[in-house]
Amino acid sequence: QASSRTPYKKLRSHGITNMLGWGILMIIGAILARYFKQWAPIWFYSHTLVQSLGFVLGVAGVICGLVLENKFDADVSTHKGLGIFILVLGCLQ
């Protein structure tokens, strides 16, 4: 029974790491850069730290998603396309 739950744990970790990385931390990093410049140089270091952590979590979530796609042989082309688009935007940012 534990082995049947393993794919769902990976699926959950894919969702959680992407939500935390791209959906929360990257936004908080942008807010820090925009609204906290009066606290120089702390705003820059905290912005860099939060953005970097968000990017690393996002990339980990993308890798987890690719592993899940190969494991389940799922047809998630739209979801995968959106994920790659978000990854490219994160790299450009």
Side-chain angles (χ1 to χ4, degrees):
Q1 187 178 18
S3 63
S4 67
R5 280 191 258 168
T6 303
Y8 296 110
K9 289 176 86 173
K10 289 179 183 173
L11 186 64
R12 186 176 296 152
S13 67
H14 164 69
I16 290 172
T17 56
N18 279 319
M19 282 190 294
L20 282 175
W22 303 124
I24 295 174
L25 291 175
M26 292 295 272
I27 293 170
I28 290 173
I31 290 170
L32 287 170
R34 182 169 181 155
Y35 296 110
F36 292 93
K37 287 188 179 176
Q38 68 267 21
W39 290 306
I42 301 282
W43 76 267
F44 180 75
Y45 295 122
S46 58
H47 158 74
T48 304
L49 179 70
V50 171
Q51 290 285 98
S52 299
L53 182 61
F55 184 76
V56 167
L57 281 175
V59 169
V62 168
I63 292 169
C64 187
L66 292 173
V67 168
L68 283 169
E69 180 191 21
N70 291 336
K71 185 173 191 114
F72 288 126
D73 195 31
D75 181 27
V76 289
S77 57
T78 304
H79 184 82
K80 184 178 178 182
L82 287 171
I84 290 171
F85 178 69
I86 291 170
L87 177 64
V88 168
L89 288 178
C91 290
L92 290 174
Q93 193 276 336

